[in-house]
Amino acid sequence: MYTAQLFLVASVLALQVSGSCMHGTSLMKRAELPGGRVAVSTFGYTGLNGPLNWAGLAPENAACDTAAIQSPINIDSSISLATQAPVLKIDSVEAAEFENLGTTIEVIVNGTTMFAGKEFTLKQFHFHTPSEHRISEEYFPLEMHMVHEAADGSGALAVIGVTFQLSEDGKTTELLTAVTKNLGEIIEPGTVTETGPLDFTELINHIQTTPLFQYTGSLTTPPCADGLTFLVTSKPLPLNVATFNAVKAVVKFNSRYTQNTATDGNLLQVAAQRAIQRQILPDATNGNRTVKSPSIKLPITPAKACIFGACYEKK
């Protein structure tokens, strides 16, 4: 069910939302343009392009405001630690493709991760600032998402979320320094360059030895498809101010708002239901219902009114 849903969505969105979290997987292959450029995302984080209206940008994004299982979340005591550590293998490289998708900066790199008896292939990693996940309500200045696809061709996705914290002594993660070496060359969305030499030893050791929170969530970008596995580090890696400011200046703000718990429903749907219940009241003069507004009165069918998939039934 989950895989079929992703394939259906991906077939329509392949060129529409290149900055999606599943970008670079078989479900949404990278779209390279003439002149060595890459396609730029059509969604964003501000106004009508932002998360509150992602579902309105394309029918395939319906899960963004209807699905109960959504990411990111605030990781609290209800979220368990993974009972086993993933085993990662990512070879060091002299350089990797580094691109600006408009909504994030992304590194194309290959690797494998074994987790829970299943092999996953690393397709890319990208960054969110501030962090999308919070731990006990605390956010972090930066979060890396390492996007994996199951090697068995099922289309199952797994994302390792690595958080970073600003250091007081200037210490930093050398991988980030190498990744952002040529960041100034991709200030403009759609541009491509290369990273410096990448050594993943420190990152792999951190992921394999740090307790990881595990939960079932969703893509944090359109189409917001759910069912993927999230592993999030319980402790951050260090990040110096200079690197953080450089990333922030290019990426800007690209963090989806914290989602509801699955048992409480999609936040937008819950808000819509409450708005309908609060504002649509019986009108004794004509038997219809009207929306209370300072400036307009909009007739609504007495039987049903729906917003964001939430419907109010006349009793």
Side-chain angles (χ1 to χ4, degrees):
M1 176 68 176
Y2 163 65
T3 303
Q5 176 193 18
L6 279 181
F7 270 110
L8 176 62
V9 171
S11 64
V12 180
L13 294 183
L15 293 178
Q16 281 189 307
V17 287
S18 60
S20 170
C21 291
M22 64 181 178
H23 185 231
T25 69
S26 64
L27 306 175
M28 185 175 290
K29 295 184 178 180
R30 297 176 63 248
E32 295 190 10
L33 304 178
R37 296 177 66 88
V38 292
V40 175
S41 308
T42 55
F43 68 93
Y45 291 87
T46 304
L48 293 180
N49 277 337
L52 293 180
N53 192 48
W54 282 349
L57 300 180
E60 297 77 24
N61 299 346
C64 297
D65 70 11
T66 59
I69 300 175
Q70 289 289 282
S71 296
I73 63 170
N74 171 52
I75 297 173
D76 57 21
S77 59
S78 68
I79 305 300
S80 301
L81 292 173
T83 56
Q84 56 185 287
V87 178
L88 288 76
K89 186 181 188 311
I90 312 172
D91 292 333
S92 298
V93 295
E94 287 302 311
E97 188 162 319
F98 187 30
E99 52 197 29
N100 184 338
L101 301 178
T103 52
T104 190
I105 50 176
E106 180 177 282
V107 178
I108 310 303
V109 66
N110 297 316
T112 59
T113 294
M114 290 293 300
F115 181 70
K118 196 178 189 71
E119 181 178 341
F120 291 86
T121 301
L122 175 62
K123 296 296 185 178
Q124 47 94 347
F125 60 86
H126 59 270
F127 298 91
H128 292 274
T129 178
S131 68
E132 293 202 298
H133 288 96
R134 289 183 289 152
I135 299 178
S136 298
E137 301 290 350
E138 181 183 4
Y139 74 91
F140 298 88
L142 187 69
E143 181 175 349
M144 173 197 291
H145 283 176
M146 304 172 69
V147 179
H148 296 72
E149 183 176 3
D152 61 9
S154 64
L157 299 181
V159 177
I160 299 177
V162 182
T163 55
F164 295 85
Q165 181 64 281
L166 291 175
S167 61
E168 296 182 3
D169 59 3
K171 184 178 180 181
T172 198
T173 302
E174 291 305 320
L175 178 67
L176 291 184
T177 304
V179 164
T180 57
K181 177 182 178 181
N182 299 318
L183 183 60
E185 298 178 9
I186 57 168
I187 293 175
E188 179 187 350
T191 52
V192 179
T193 187
E194 289 187 341
T195 67
L198 302 181
D199 183 343
F200 294 93
T201 304
E202 181 183 12
L203 176 67
I204 291 173
N205 181 66
H206 180 71
I207 293 172
Q208 292 184 164
T209 60
T210 300
L212 303 175
F213 295 106
Q214 178 182 351
Y215 78 98
T216 299
S218 76
L219 301 173
T220 64
T221 59
C224 307
D226 60 11
L228 64 83
T229 299
F230 254 111
L231 297 173
V232 182
T233 55
S234 59
K235 296 180 181 179
L237 281 168
L239 168 68
N240 65 21
V241 174
T243 302
F244 171 61
N245 283 340
V247 171
K248 181 167 64 71
V250 175
V251 175
K252 315 299 184 186
F253 177 97
N254 69 339
S255 180
R256 189 187 189 193
Y257 60 90
T258 303
Q259 301 296 300
N260 222 351
T261 60
T263 55
D264 292 331
N266 188 288
L267 272 176
L268 292 179
Q269 198 167 49
V270 171
Q273 290 171 337
R274 291 180 178 177
I276 292 170
Q277 293 168 356
R278 187 169 58 247
Q279 297 188 33
I280 299 180
L281 305 173
D283 187 333
T285 60
N286 57 21
N288 285 341
R289 296 174 182 270
T290 58
V291 176
K292 296 181 67 178
S293 168
S295 57
I296 60 171
K297 286 191 175 182
L298 177 64
I300 305 289
T301 173
K304 179 186 291 186
C306 296
I307 301 175
F308 294 131
C311 297
Y312 176 90
E313 299 283 356
K314 181 181 178 182
K315 297 181 179 180

